[in-house]
Amino acid sequence: MSHDEGVIKFKMEYREAPALDAAALRELNAWRRILVLLEMIGQTPERYAGYGFGNISCRLLPWSAPAEQRRFVITGTQTGHVANLAPEHFVVVTACHPVQNLTVAEGPIQPSSESMTHGAVYALDSRIRWVMHGHSPEIWRNAARLGIPTTRAAVPYGTPEMSAEVARLYNESDLRTRRLFAMGGHEDGVVSFGRTAEQAGQVLLAALANSLYV
Ligand SMILES: [Zn+2]
């Protein structure tokens, strides 16, 4: 079993802080709900040994922040089983330092174990505002047929190597325009991104449709 979503590999500086305002989380929650309905985010005994899977995030101001200090809101760790999230299920990542494998976060809950992967995507381009990480057996198994850029299977998620691998794909493949990659070493794992939630979400939906073509 290659999947170990619940195992936290990264180092974290976490500080408890009040929840964000619910109004600021509505769009995140709406798109997360869609991914839950598609079973790309969730938690069930039948999949991945019962660990929660998938997560969604969006950037916070200031847009001009340096690559390792691009703040974003992300779902908290092991919230996959909750259908509709409340403000206390979200946390702000204030910095990601891939070389030290260090994530800095503040909020009412610890961040998802894949925050570093989200941070690696935001570090690619300050115009990227949304990242969606879903688990889709359909897209993942058809990634090669669909020409979806894929991280090398030997690169574990949530590590400095994954950050470097994402940057490599961004520079060497059509990831920049495709806005979707598969995680070769992370069963069913796919990541989309965009300037808006619609852009990131539609990339996932279109890939799912394409993967269902027979
Ligand atoms: Zn995952």
Side-chain angles (χ1 to χ4, degrees):
M1 196 66 173
S2 63
H3 197 99
D4 50 358
E5 187 97 21
V7 179
I8 295 177
K9 292 175 182 170
F10 60 88
K11 286 178 289 201
M12 188 166 44
E13 280 177 23
Y14 169 72
R15 183 174 72 80
E16 269 202 47
L20 291 178
D21 189 62
L25 302 168
R26 277 194 301 227
E27 194 174 14
L28 264 174
N29 236 340
W31 277 95
R32 180 185 176 278
R33 182 83 185 117
I34 290 170
L35 298 185
V36 168
L37 290 170
L38 292 170
E39 300 180 338
M40 289 196 201
I41 290 178
Q43 187 164 16
T44 168
E46 292 84 48
R47 295 177 68 182
Y48 322 123
Y51 284 118
F53 54 91
N55 36 62
I56 177 170
S57 71
C58 72
R59 271 288 306 278
L60 296 172
L61 290 164
W63 306 134
S64 60
E68 295 190 4
Q69 291 163 35
R70 293 181 179 157
R71 300 163 69 236
F72 58 91
V73 192
I74 190 164
T75 42
T77 186
Q78 296 301 313
T79 51
H81 62 289
V82 186
N84 289 300
L85 296 187
E88 61 265 27
H89 295 117
F90 291 93
V91 54
V92 176
V93 171
T94 57
C96 281
H97 303 290
V99 174
Q100 300 96 311
N101 203 15
L102 171 66
T103 299
V104 185
E106 57 187 35
I109 187 172
Q110 299 212 4
S112 156
S113 57
E114 290 199 25
S115 296
M116 183 63 81
T117 301
H118 289 245
V121 175
Y122 290 123
L124 297 171
D125 189 321
S126 66
R127 293 167 296 185
I128 297 173
R129 302 287 156 80
W130 286 79
V131 174
M132 298 182 187
H133 167 49
H135 277 249
S136 169
E138 295 82 7
I139 299 173
W140 197 77
R141 288 173 193 159
N142 287 285
R145 178 172 69 81
L146 298 174
I148 296 170
T150 302
T151 59
R152 284 184 285 241
V155 179
Y157 83 92
T159 62
E161 293 76 21
M162 177 58 79
S163 298
E165 181 71 352
V166 170
R168 183 188 70 81
L169 283 182
Y170 199 69
N171 291 315
E172 295 181 2
S173 73
D174 64 351
L175 177 58
R176 196 178 294 258
T177 49
R178 190 180 272 261
R179 301 191 181 95
L180 173 72
F181 65 90
M183 304 169 87
H186 186 51
E187 186 183 1
D188 302 338
V190 294
V191 175
S192 73
F193 55 86
R195 297 182 186 205
T196 63
E198 285 84 354
Q199 199 173 54
Q202 284 169 6
V203 163
L204 269 186
L205 296 177
L208 180 58
N210 287 335
S211 73
L212 296 174
Y213 285 7
V214 289

